[in-house]
Amino acid sequence: MYGWRGKIGLILPSLNNTMEPEFNKMAPRGIAIYATRMLLAKGVPEDMEKLATDTEKASHLLKTADVTGILYGCTSGSLIKGVGWDKEIIRRIEDTTGIPSTTTSTAVIDAFKELGVRSVVVATPYIDPVNQIEKKFFEDHGVKVIAIQGLGYTTGEELHRESPETAYLFAKRVFRKEADCLFISCTDFACIEVLNLLEQDLGKPAMSSNTASLWGILKKIGIKERIDGFGEILRHL
Amino acid sequence: MYGWRGKIGLILPSLNNTMEPEFNKMAPRGIAIYATRMLLAKGVPEDMEKLATDTEKASHLLKTADVTGILYGCTSGSLIKGVGWDKEIIRRIEDTTGIPSTTTSTAVIDAFKELGVRSVVVATPYIDPVNQIEKKFFEDHGVKVIAIQGLGYTTGEELHRESPETAYLFAKRVFRKEADCLFISCTDFACIEVLNLLEQDLGKPAMSSNTASLWGILKKIGIKERIDGFGEILRHL
Amino acid sequence: MYGWRGKIGLILPSLNNTMEPEFNKMAPRGIAIYATRMLLAKGVPEDMEKLATDTEKASHLLKTADVTGILYGCTSGSLIKGVGWDKEIIRRIEDTTGIPSTTTSTAVIDAFKELGVRSVVVATPYIDPVNQIEKKFFEDHGVKVIAIQGLGYTTGEELHRESPETAYLFAKRVFRKEADCLFISCTDFACIEVLNLLEQDLGKPAMSSNTASLWGILKKIGIKERIDGFGEILRHL
Amino acid sequence: MYGWRGKIGLILPSLNNTMEPEFNKMAPRGIAIYATRMLLAKGVPEDMEKLATDTEKASHLLKTADVTGILYGCTSGSLIKGVGWDKEIIRRIEDTTGIPSTTTSTAVIDAFKELGVRSVVVATPYIDPVNQIEKKFFEDHGVKVIAIQGLGYTTGEELHRESPETAYLFAKRVFRKEADCLFISCTDFACIEVLNLLEQDLGKPAMSSNTASLWGILKKIGIKERIDGFGEILRHL
Amino acid sequence: MYGWRGKIGLILPSLNNTMEPEFNKMAPRGIAIYATRMLLAKGVPEDMEKLATDTEKASHLLKTADVTGILYGCTSGSLIKGVGWDKEIIRRIEDTTGIPSTTTSTAVIDAFKELGVRSVVVATPYIDPVNQIEKKFFEDHGVKVIAIQGLGYTTGEELHRESPETAYLFAKRVFRKEADCLFISCTDFACIEVLNLLEQDLGKPAMSSNTASLWGILKKIGIKERIDGFGEILRHL
Amino acid sequence: MYGWRGKIGLILPSLNNTMEPEFNKMAPRGIAIYATRMLLAKGVPEDMEKLATDTEKASHLLKTADVTGILYGCTSGSLIKGVGWDKEIIRRIEDTTGIPSTTTSTAVIDAFKELGVRSVVVATPYIDPVNQIEKKFFEDHGVKVIAIQGLGYTTGEELHRESPETAYLFAKRVFRKEADCLFISCTDFACIEVLNLLEQDLGKPAMSSNTASLWGILKKIGIKERIDGFGEILRHL
Amino acid sequence: MYGWRGKIGLILPSLNNTMEPEFNKMAPRGIAIYATRMLLAKGVPEDMEKLATDTEKASHLLKTADVTGILYGCTSGSLIKGVGWDKEIIRRIEDTTGIPSTTTSTAVIDAFKELGVRSVVVATPYIDPVNQIEKKFFEDHGVKVIAIQGLGYTTGEELHRESPETAYLFAKRVFRKEADCLFISCTDFACIEVLNLLEQDLGKPAMSSNTASLWGILKKIGIKERIDGFGEILRHL
Amino acid sequence: MYGWRGKIGLILPSLNNTMEPEFNKMAPRGIAIYATRMLLAKGVPEDMEKLATDTEKASHLLKTADVTGILYGCTSGSLIKGVGWDKEIIRRIEDTTGIPSTTTSTAVIDAFKELGVRSVVVATPYIDPVNQIEKKFFEDHGVKVIAIQGLGYTTGEELHRESPETAYLFAKRVFRKEADCLFISCTDFACIEVLNLLEQDLGKPAMSSNTASLWGILKKIGIKERIDGFGEILRHL
């Protein structure tokens, strides 16, 4: 009997290689992960905007799987049109299914509040136009972005050959100690294994899109089990 | 770096609750699982026939994830139109993507050959019309169906409340010792934990749709690591 | 030398499938479990009242096994005639054997006191008439029953096909957060594995008939070893 | 869901302290143990004969627990009236319940056949009159009793203070190397932990009433999982 | 390189079966145990008095093994002539060898002080005359003996067939809750495995001759590693 | 209950630091070790000859401990007067106690036979006169000594600062590949941890005085449990 | 006492990041690794030729560490001048130190012989000119190179960001099934974790420069312990 | 990908046998160790002074390995010319490479400050002239040397045959309880396994050259992961 404690439905960009394995690694006992994909061919603003087109259809597919909660699992895709875009997506999913839902960018903002974060350094795999949109989204929510830096990738091929070890190095290089928090953006950027080490070495919470997303959706469906090993936010359940 | 040894793309019916958790449990080191869904609301023949409609679109989504192989993960859905239907589906996926593919029913037939099975008892969650189609499919491939029995379910709600323990009891009751093999049909029927025990207690190989499917797709993409704990077929890699 | 630290004698309804396995799982080092049965064919009030008929005989059988304490292991059976019925049963066992004894309902009331519980939500497998008797019993002991809900079962067949996972779901659905405690009633309702998870997710103590019973009888015979893994009450030894 | 693979009903003498803990230790995954008692106050022939009086009633109690098989778990009690007494008891249980059954002495004889044993040394806790009846029973079944020796106990108090370590010493002293097998008689004589060591040190199979009983009833209900750690016979499943 | 952190020389009564195994079980890393025996045929006062005759010779043997400290390992033997007898023995060992030494009874008195014990219940295997001498010895050191009870044994044969489980039962029966501490006397009374359980169940420190002795000699030679699992006193290193 | 399967009495030279720890490490379950010492101040022939003087007294001390077998645990001390000296010592122990006994040198010769060894290289800590006596003893028993080399030590202080690692190096340097076996002589030469590695690297059985002694005495008292981790001879039980 | 069983001296190119960690991971118990560096700034033929200039000095440094054997740990550097170059290097090291030595390319050729390899596919990180020199070296030793392919790297920066997972993918792509063996060349190409998986998936031995080197030097110094987990050649010790 | 979190370059005296194995044992996840050697033939002042000659060359070699930090790993060698000599070495390394660096003696002084140590007892393997230079170096930095004692060794052969166990004994004998700290000097003196035990037995921090060095270089490169098992200073990261 899979997912007897909770079934998480994932709506994710089609090229994503990371969210399903990382959610399966981190999910507590009794939580199962069910995924469906929407087309995203490249990590560029125009594709990210189109991503939401099929939201209703994807939501409906997951509803037939009788999921407990639905996560729209894309950071930039859920903030690409600025403040309010994430809430709009949530509304569309919940209108379609009646199932409690959230998006990655909603979860990230909620997690910043949970941890009392007022300033952040952001490490991303994105190109600069995407970074600037994300920066504005965070600052419009009252979180100062002290620095944001991207690897400049737009294809899965570039991103998927990176390992968590390179994420560690990149994030450490980008970080500035006056920030309250390190945030590694993108649900397709593999890094959960190094978040605890980054927290030790930097002395500040280190959060990724996937740890924030998992925390957000578990909280939404009423699961409260502290998860160790992947940074501060998942110890807050 | 997820899926560095192999990335399995799953096309699965939208109501399925079992295939993703079971594949994640059984997959060997370095193999990652990526899923997308096609609408299946009820386990009735007319819905199963419609399932294939979106095959090209689903295949294309998985292609953007750069998967190594694609599995059309539905037993009855890949045989619902009789002999040749599975090959037709494979052709459509491979034409769309150029990626090696298989279906559950193709894998089951291949697995029967691998194990030298000439007669089988089949336990399913299906209603009888579906059972009869499956029976004919197997016998048209030269495997005698000594008995086939279903739980008569058509909804996910009915099926998902069953546990592997009930699968054990049901399968044991249905089995007849003159058969070469026990086959538990349906990629949404949770039972991998009890296959080894069924083999011990019945003295014959016990295979499920998911163990056959995993074996079939791993073989297709050239992974040859014996997997213990889930019945005979996965020890044949 | 089994039971050198303590031998628990169980008098249990004949159809019970759960109490012996759960007590064997939870019992601390040096504690052994010895059982004998009294006829209970169905979970209906008239059968539960008759259950006590053979109390003296069952007690005598356990006395020959030289047990340290005796538990009358049936929740509804030990409260079916209202306040005082449990004490009457204890008196009959102790008069027959001279061995310290308790009943499940006595232990539950004691456990409520130990945890300072003044209001409770109760999840049961029973039919409503039994629920109403249980509700009155608790309220007559000063514990408010905010909600009580049953699965409506009267036979072992119905009850024994449920798993702890379904107990989790059912109990979570029934619970109301203004209660001090969740109580899952019936020594034949398998659920000890999910009590810790329920406590985490609900934020309140979660207790079952079997955890309360084990706590009650161990306390009676002077065993004081904190038992982890099965909810709050067993950490109070 | 306890006992989903098999539920063993135990009818055992009321003073027995050993059979339930040893069966719970040895039982394979998915097998649950349910017990009920019949009066046996002392280990003397007249009490053992009376033991069978309540067989039908005890069988009926276990039937309500929906057990898969029933074991009449007393060595001397199932042979006290000589050849055929065990079969008579089985007949009475099966007539009452329709459930497959066996007795300890039946299982011991079957186990001797399984291992090809034609001569045996027997170590018991009994007084000599009981030993002589057992000897005759074995020899009437064609198994030569090279030696049989008892500790001369008739009460639980005497027997229950012995540990498996003393069983080892006693059995080793009694054994004679021309025998095919060592048999430690009595389902209330704790010794399963030392059977493997006895086999190593004596170079012959070492079997106890409880290992033979468990083997016998598991075979009867179709469970075939080799159990290690408790002597040769349980490796023959 | 055995005993690089410390080598404990044991002078023990020839019939002792317990001190060497228990010291080897409890000793921390880098501590080795070296033993030599002095004649004690029976546990009677006259033999215990004679035990000390060979003290110088035994001490000299251990000195050639280059031990770090010497323990005269006999409770009653080191107090049999009353207050001061233990100090006299220590003087004789240290005069012979120049090596720091202690006796069991000295260690017990020191341990009472360490734990702030002013009243004690004593469980022994001795006959009553020995108990009375021990009682006087403790009370002359200011520790009130609330109760002292013996098993009445004088031979190794009687004592060595007892297990720690019986020590648990016997000690628990003798204990009275107004005492500050339970002391199980005799370096040949196996009981270290049950001391933690006795402490839990009685709610007071439980100490044996061997745990006190090991604590005493380790302290003497400057080893300060908390040892868990054998009662309070060894956590005081 | 220590030593319930067998109690080994050790008579050992007073300066020995190795035999008790190594026997405690290697002994199988249920075997306990009890030691007493006889004076040996230096490893020179005259002292070794005197060692045997107190044999009867030491044997009598161990008899009061009710041991199952007695080992005279000194290699050179049991062969110092040439062929027959070991048998003479055994005779004196058995005459005194009636308990089965052996000596180290007897066990070594028996072990050579067990392994079919006809030529040997011997590494010792001894001075040359002792080596020559040992060489003659072996050759008089038909085992050719291809090489024998000593570290030239006579005191415990010199010997006890060596570690098994130096024993490895020394033995490897001394070995010559035409030999059937490597023998590391002296029950006070710590080396059991490196015997398996020596066997791997040299391709021949590697045996020490303590592994041969333990094998010899266990065989004498009828214990037949293969012991892994310490060279070939202990796998021959 | 580090390296008591054997001390391996490594002479390695200064930019190497892989050989020390991989040797420390694979080395059996008692083997220690000591390294010194010689200048190699880029992976180009002219630098590799110069590498050998300081051989005598490096050898002398390791001699002061009292190493048991010396490995010249560079594949291309030890074959850059063709057949005989490796033997010349060995001669210079042994002339300087008198210590048994080998080089990586010598070990690879020896390993091919050990495994009976007559044809090979080679995967390297090198540029093509280096590949051609390696190909000629192997073929001059009678091993046919069916295919050789490089990543075209000349700097440490390029090479050190690759993970064993990419080595798996690259090697699998290059391999051709008519070859007897897969060889992954370069002591700075991290890949030992994937060799077993490559062997499973390709069905042929998979060897890297470091596994061949470790095998070669251990064999040279007489260590014969089968090492599991890193491909076939290390199981041949 | 080795050393993704940090790469430590070690410049060490050629005869050193200890620093590489101990650093590999203690290093946290993601830290790799790369070594190069400079000539030191004997542990005498004149050789230690010459050691620094090749500093620039060694530094350059490590720079090509792209290390994150460089440690000049020799205690006496980095203080042999008194206060300032260590800073001078650091300056030369950093001028050559631009990589953050430290020396053992620098790290030791920093560690004294970190722990608030104002007086110390020092145990060394050195001859007295070296001890006197070290004493002056510490006292010139304001740390009183209550006692300093050496084993008087000058060669690797003498030093490398000592085990951590002898380090324990020697250090314990030298220690005086009025000191704030025990320091075991020399990066070639194996002792990390006994530092925790020394701390327990002496009741003061125990630090070795290698634990101080590792702490110093990790702090320098920004790694902050508490390391347990090797004394107080590494718990201060």
Side-chain angles (χ1 to χ4, degrees), chain A residues 2 7 14-15 17 20 22 34-37 64-65, chain B residues 2 7 14-15 17 20 22 34-37 39 64-65:
Chain A
Y2 295 105
K7 304 179 190 179
S14 61
L15 62 62
N17 262 9
E20 287 154 291
E22 290 198 347
Y34 302 113
T36 200
R37 291 178 136 69
T64 68
Chain B
Y2 295 106
K7 304 179 190 180
S14 61
L15 60 64
N17 262 9
E20 287 154 292
E22 290 198 347
Y34 303 112
T36 201
R37 289 178 137 68
L39 187 67
T64 69

mmCIF file of all heavy atoms in Angstrom, chain A residues 2 7 14-15 17 20 22 34-37 64-65, chain B residues 2 7 14-15 17 20 22 34-37 39 64-65:
data_model
loop_
_atom_site.group_PDB
_atom_site.id
_atom_site.type_symbol
_atom_site.label_atom_id
_atom_site.label_comp_id
_atom_site.label_asym_id
_atom_site.label_seq_id
_atom_site.Cartn_x
_atom_site.Cartn_y
_atom_site.Cartn_z
ATOM 1 N N TYR A 2 1.153 1.744 -1.164
ATOM 2 C CA TYR A 2 2.075 2.861 -1.285
ATOM 3 C C TYR A 2 1.368 4.174 -1.002
ATOM 4 O O TYR A 2 0.209 4.369 -1.373
ATOM 5 C CB TYR A 2 2.700 2.882 -2.670
ATOM 6 C CG TYR A 2 3.571 1.674 -2.907
ATOM 7 C CD1 TYR A 2 3.161 0.633 -3.720
ATOM 8 C CD2 TYR A 2 4.801 1.560 -2.259
ATOM 9 C CE1 TYR A 2 3.949 -0.485 -3.906
ATOM 10 C CE2 TYR A 2 5.595 0.441 -2.435
ATOM 11 C CZ TYR A 2 5.165 -0.583 -3.261
ATOM 12 O OH TYR A 2 5.946 -1.684 -3.419
ATOM 13 N N LYS A 7 0.269 11.001 -0.605
ATOM 14 C CA LYS A 7 0.711 10.817 -1.989
ATOM 15 C C LYS A 7 0.973 12.200 -2.579
ATOM 16 O O LYS A 7 0.055 13.019 -2.651
ATOM 17 C CB LYS A 7 -0.387 10.117 -2.802
ATOM 18 C CG LYS A 7 -0.836 8.786 -2.223
ATOM 19 C CD LYS A 7 -1.943 8.137 -3.044
ATOM 20 C CE LYS A 7 -2.500 6.946 -2.267
ATOM 21 N NZ LYS A 7 -3.584 6.252 -2.947
ATOM 22 N N SER A 14 9.428 18.678 -18.479
ATOM 23 C CA SER A 14 9.747 17.378 -19.074
ATOM 24 C C SER A 14 11.221 17.048 -19.032
ATOM 25 O O SER A 14 11.598 15.887 -18.912
ATOM 26 C CB SER A 14 9.239 17.333 -20.517
ATOM 27 O OG SER A 14 9.870 18.336 -21.300
ATOM 28 N N LEU A 15 12.096 18.014 -19.078
ATOM 29 C CA LEU A 15 13.540 17.674 -19.119
ATOM 30 C C LEU A 15 14.131 17.398 -17.758
ATOM 31 O O LEU A 15 15.287 16.969 -17.652
ATOM 32 C CB LEU A 15 14.331 18.758 -19.871
ATOM 33 C CG LEU A 15 14.385 20.205 -19.373
ATOM 34 C CD1 LEU A 15 14.996 20.372 -18.032
ATOM 35 C CD2 LEU A 15 15.166 21.032 -20.394
ATOM 36 N N ASN A 17 15.590 15.911 -14.536
ATOM 37 C CA ASN A 17 16.210 14.613 -14.220
ATOM 38 C C ASN A 17 16.416 14.409 -12.729
ATOM 39 O O ASN A 17 16.981 13.402 -12.303
ATOM 40 C CB ASN A 17 17.595 14.531 -14.880
ATOM 41 C CG ASN A 17 17.577 13.784 -16.191
ATOM 42 O OD1 ASN A 17 16.512 13.455 -16.698
ATOM 43 N ND2 ASN A 17 18.742 13.508 -16.744
ATOM 44 N N GLU A 20 12.460 13.737 -9.228
ATOM 45 C CA GLU A 20 11.937 12.432 -8.816
ATOM 46 C C GLU A 20 12.960 11.664 -7.960
ATOM 47 O O GLU A 20 12.619 11.211 -6.872
ATOM 48 C CB GLU A 20 11.510 11.628 -10.046
ATOM 49 C CG GLU A 20 10.226 12.142 -10.696
ATOM 50 C CD GLU A 20 10.149 11.815 -12.174
ATOM 51 O OE1 GLU A 20 10.934 12.396 -12.967
ATOM 52 O OE2 GLU A 20 9.308 10.969 -12.548
ATOM 53 N N GLU A 22 15.451 12.832 -6.146
ATOM 54 C CA GLU A 22 15.685 13.500 -4.864
ATOM 55 C C GLU A 22 14.477 13.403 -3.942
ATOM 56 O O GLU A 22 14.624 13.229 -2.735
ATOM 57 C CB GLU A 22 16.109 14.961 -5.089
ATOM 58 C CG GLU A 22 17.518 15.065 -5.681
ATOM 59 C CD GLU A 22 18.176 16.427 -5.552
ATOM 60 O OE1 GLU A 22 17.484 17.410 -5.230
ATOM 61 O OE2 GLU A 22 19.401 16.518 -5.767
ATOM 62 N N TYR A 34 4.322 10.623 -7.174
ATOM 63 C CA TYR A 34 3.755 10.321 -8.490
ATOM 64 C C TYR A 34 3.947 11.525 -9.397
ATOM 65 O O TYR A 34 3.602 12.647 -9.019
ATOM 66 C CB TYR A 34 2.269 9.971 -8.354
ATOM 67 C CG TYR A 34 2.082 8.801 -7.418
ATOM 68 C CD1 TYR A 34 1.440 8.952 -6.191
ATOM 69 C CD2 TYR A 34 2.606 7.547 -7.734
ATOM 70 C CE1 TYR A 34 1.306 7.879 -5.322
ATOM 71 C CE2 TYR A 34 2.482 6.466 -6.867
ATOM 72 C CZ TYR A 34 1.831 6.645 -5.659
ATOM 73 O OH TYR A 34 1.715 5.582 -4.810
ATOM 74 N N ALA A 35 4.508 11.289 -10.596
ATOM 75 C CA ALA A 35 4.900 12.410 -11.446
ATOM 76 C C ALA A 35 4.185 12.422 -12.782
ATOM 77 O O ALA A 35 3.798 11.372 -13.312
ATOM 78 C CB ALA A 35 6.409 12.357 -11.684
ATOM 79 N N THR A 36 4.028 13.627 -13.296
ATOM 80 C CA THR A 36 3.650 13.759 -14.705
ATOM 81 C C THR A 36 4.383 14.981 -15.256
ATOM 82 O O THR A 36 4.805 15.862 -14.501
ATOM 83 C CB THR A 36 2.122 13.851 -14.899
ATOM 84 O OG1 THR A 36 1.845 13.509 -16.264
ATOM 85 C CG2 THR A 36 1.582 15.245 -14.587
ATOM 86 N N ARG A 37 4.575 15.014 -16.574
ATOM 87 C CA ARG A 37 5.455 16.002 -17.184
ATOM 88 C C ARG A 37 4.702 16.986 -18.069
ATOM 89 O O ARG A 37 3.688 16.644 -18.683
ATOM 90 C CB ARG A 37 6.513 15.304 -18.030
ATOM 91 C CG ARG A 37 7.505 14.546 -17.205
ATOM 92 C CD ARG A 37 8.530 13.805 -17.988
ATOM 93 N NE ARG A 37 9.845 14.002 -17.399
ATOM 94 C CZ ARG A 37 10.221 13.505 -16.213
ATOM 95 N NH1 ARG A 37 9.397 12.787 -15.493
ATOM 96 N NH2 ARG A 37 11.425 13.753 -15.750
ATOM 97 N N THR A 64 -6.576 11.593 -10.878
ATOM 98 C CA THR A 64 -7.026 10.197 -11.020
ATOM 99 C C THR A 64 -6.156 9.243 -10.204
ATOM 100 O O THR A 64 -6.562 8.120 -9.918
ATOM 101 C CB THR A 64 -7.009 9.730 -12.495
ATOM 102 O OG1 THR A 64 -5.656 9.651 -12.940
ATOM 103 C CG2 THR A 64 -7.807 10.670 -13.379
ATOM 104 N N ALA A 65 -4.943 9.694 -9.863
ATOM 105 C CA ALA A 65 -4.083 8.863 -9.009
ATOM 106 C C ALA A 65 -4.418 9.068 -7.544
ATOM 107 O O ALA A 65 -3.751 8.516 -6.668
ATOM 108 C CB ALA A 65 -2.607 9.172 -9.276
ATOM 109 N N TYR B 2 22.163 11.813 -11.572
ATOM 110 C CA TYR B 2 21.190 10.726 -11.498
ATOM 111 C C TYR B 2 21.087 10.015 -12.853
ATOM 112 O O TYR B 2 21.140 10.630 -13.899
ATOM 113 C CB TYR B 2 19.834 11.269 -11.082
ATOM 114 C CG TYR B 2 19.869 11.821 -9.682
ATOM 115 C CD1 TYR B 2 19.852 13.186 -9.440
ATOM 116 C CD2 TYR B 2 19.976 10.957 -8.593
ATOM 117 C CE1 TYR B 2 19.910 13.678 -8.146
ATOM 118 C CE2 TYR B 2 20.032 11.452 -7.294
ATOM 119 C CZ TYR B 2 20.001 12.809 -7.087
ATOM 120 O OH TYR B 2 20.075 13.293 -5.814
ATOM 121 N N LYS B 7 18.731 5.736 -17.735
ATOM 122 C CA LYS B 7 17.541 6.480 -17.338
ATOM 123 C C LYS B 7 16.342 5.809 -17.969
ATOM 124 O O LYS B 7 16.251 5.724 -19.196
ATOM 125 C CB LYS B 7 17.624 7.930 -17.835
ATOM 126 C CG LYS B 7 18.865 8.669 -17.373
ATOM 127 C CD LYS B 7 18.928 10.097 -17.916
ATOM 128 C CE LYS B 7 20.310 10.681 -17.614
ATOM 129 N NZ LYS B 7 20.478 12.053 -18.094
ATOM 130 N N SER B 14 -2.649 7.083 -15.770
ATOM 131 C CA SER B 14 -2.649 8.153 -14.775
ATOM 132 C C SER B 14 -3.025 7.681 -13.386
ATOM 133 O O SER B 14 -2.544 8.214 -12.397
ATOM 134 C CB SER B 14 -3.596 9.275 -15.216
ATOM 135 O OG SER B 14 -4.915 8.787 -15.345
ATOM 136 N N LEU B 15 -3.845 6.654 -13.263
ATOM 137 C CA LEU B 15 -4.280 6.262 -11.908
ATOM 138 C C LEU B 15 -3.284 5.357 -11.193
ATOM 139 O O LEU B 15 -3.458 5.063 -10.005
ATOM 140 C CB LEU B 15 -5.689 5.621 -11.945
ATOM 141 C CG LEU B 15 -5.947 4.356 -12.765
ATOM 142 C CD1 LEU B 15 -5.188 3.160 -12.293
ATOM 143 C CD2 LEU B 15 -7.456 4.065 -12.702
ATOM 144 N N ASN B 17 -0.570 3.781 -8.984
ATOM 145 C CA ASN B 17 0.050 4.178 -7.714
ATOM 146 C C ASN B 17 1.258 3.331 -7.353
ATOM 147 O O ASN B 17 1.849 3.487 -6.287
ATOM 148 C CB ASN B 17 -0.979 3.994 -6.572
ATOM 149 C CG ASN B 17 -1.672 5.277 -6.199
ATOM 150 O OD1 ASN B 17 -1.533 6.278 -6.884
ATOM 151 N ND2 ASN B 17 -2.429 5.259 -5.122
ATOM 152 N N GLU B 20 5.881 3.491 -9.966
ATOM 153 C CA GLU B 20 7.008 4.342 -9.595
ATOM 154 C C GLU B 20 7.660 3.890 -8.283
ATOM 155 O O GLU B 20 8.878 3.702 -8.230
ATOM 156 C CB GLU B 20 6.546 5.807 -9.524
ATOM 157 C CG GLU B 20 6.278 6.436 -10.874
ATOM 158 C CD GLU B 20 5.276 7.568 -10.809
ATOM 159 O OE1 GLU B 20 4.069 7.298 -10.537
ATOM 160 O OE2 GLU B 20 5.669 8.736 -11.022
ATOM 161 N N GLU B 22 7.641 0.917 -6.878
ATOM 162 C CA GLU B 22 8.271 -0.398 -7.021
ATOM 163 C C GLU B 22 9.523 -0.329 -7.898
ATOM 164 O O GLU B 22 10.520 -0.998 -7.616
ATOM 165 C CB GLU B 22 7.267 -1.426 -7.550
ATOM 166 C CG GLU B 22 6.200 -1.778 -6.523
ATOM 167 C CD GLU B 22 5.433 -3.066 -6.790
ATOM 168 O OE1 GLU B 22 5.525 -3.600 -7.906
ATOM 169 O OE2 GLU B 22 4.746 -3.543 -5.871
ATOM 170 N N TYR B 34 12.080 8.051 -14.557
ATOM 171 C CA TYR B 34 11.375 9.288 -14.897
ATOM 172 C C TYR B 34 10.018 8.933 -15.500
ATOM 173 O O TYR B 34 9.957 8.133 -16.439
ATOM 174 C CB TYR B 34 12.197 10.122 -15.873
ATOM 175 C CG TYR B 34 13.561 10.430 -15.295
ATOM 176 C CD1 TYR B 34 14.719 9.875 -15.832
ATOM 177 C CD2 TYR B 34 13.672 11.223 -14.156
ATOM 178 C CE1 TYR B 34 15.957 10.133 -15.273
ATOM 179 C CE2 TYR B 34 14.916 11.481 -13.577
ATOM 180 C CZ TYR B 34 16.048 10.930 -14.144
ATOM 181 O OH TYR B 34 17.266 11.171 -13.560
ATOM 182 N N ALA B 35 8.940 9.560 -14.969
ATOM 183 C CA ALA B 35 7.594 9.140 -15.365
ATOM 184 C C ALA B 35 6.794 10.257 -16.003
ATOM 185 O O ALA B 35 6.993 11.432 -15.712
ATOM 186 C CB ALA B 35 6.849 8.631 -14.134
ATOM 187 N N THR B 36 5.877 9.826 -16.864
ATOM 188 C CA THR B 36 4.818 10.742 -17.312
ATOM 189 C C THR B 36 3.546 9.934 -17.466
ATOM 190 O O THR B 36 3.594 8.708 -17.618
ATOM 191 C CB THR B 36 5.205 11.500 -18.598
ATOM 192 O OG1 THR B 36 4.391 12.672 -18.680
ATOM 193 C CG2 THR B 36 5.018 10.645 -19.852
ATOM 194 N N ARG B 37 2.421 10.604 -17.411
ATOM 195 C CA ARG B 37 1.144 9.896 -17.319
ATOM 196 C C ARG B 37 0.268 10.109 -18.552
ATOM 197 O O ARG B 37 0.306 11.163 -19.187
ATOM 198 C CB ARG B 37 0.368 10.397 -16.103
ATOM 199 C CG ARG B 37 0.982 9.946 -14.814
ATOM 200 C CD ARG B 37 0.312 10.437 -13.595
ATOM 201 N NE ARG B 37 0.187 9.363 -12.610
ATOM 202 C CZ ARG B 37 1.235 8.818 -11.968
ATOM 203 N NH1 ARG B 37 2.459 9.256 -12.174
ATOM 204 N NH2 ARG B 37 1.053 7.829 -11.110
ATOM 205 N N LEU B 39 -3.991 9.457 -19.603
ATOM 206 C CA LEU B 39 -5.248 9.299 -18.885
ATOM 207 C C LEU B 39 -5.782 7.863 -18.893
ATOM 208 O O LEU B 39 -5.981 7.253 -19.948
ATOM 209 C CB LEU B 39 -6.328 10.221 -19.494
ATOM 210 C CG LEU B 39 -7.638 10.248 -18.681
ATOM 211 C CD1 LEU B 39 -7.422 10.898 -17.331
ATOM 212 C CD2 LEU B 39 -8.716 11.001 -19.463
ATOM 213 N N THR B 64 12.812 14.569 -24.089
ATOM 214 C CA THR B 64 13.504 15.790 -23.619
ATOM 215 C C THR B 64 14.260 15.550 -22.322
ATOM 216 O O THR B 64 15.144 16.308 -21.962
ATOM 217 C CB THR B 64 12.518 16.963 -23.402
ATOM 218 O OG1 THR B 64 11.682 16.671 -22.288
ATOM 219 C CG2 THR B 64 11.676 17.218 -24.644
ATOM 220 N N ALA B 65 13.879 14.492 -21.582
ATOM 221 C CA ALA B 65 14.617 14.140 -20.364
ATOM 222 C C ALA B 65 15.828 13.281 -20.678
ATOM 223 O O ALA B 65 16.528 12.834 -19.775
ATOM 224 C CB ALA B 65 13.704 13.429 -19.371
#
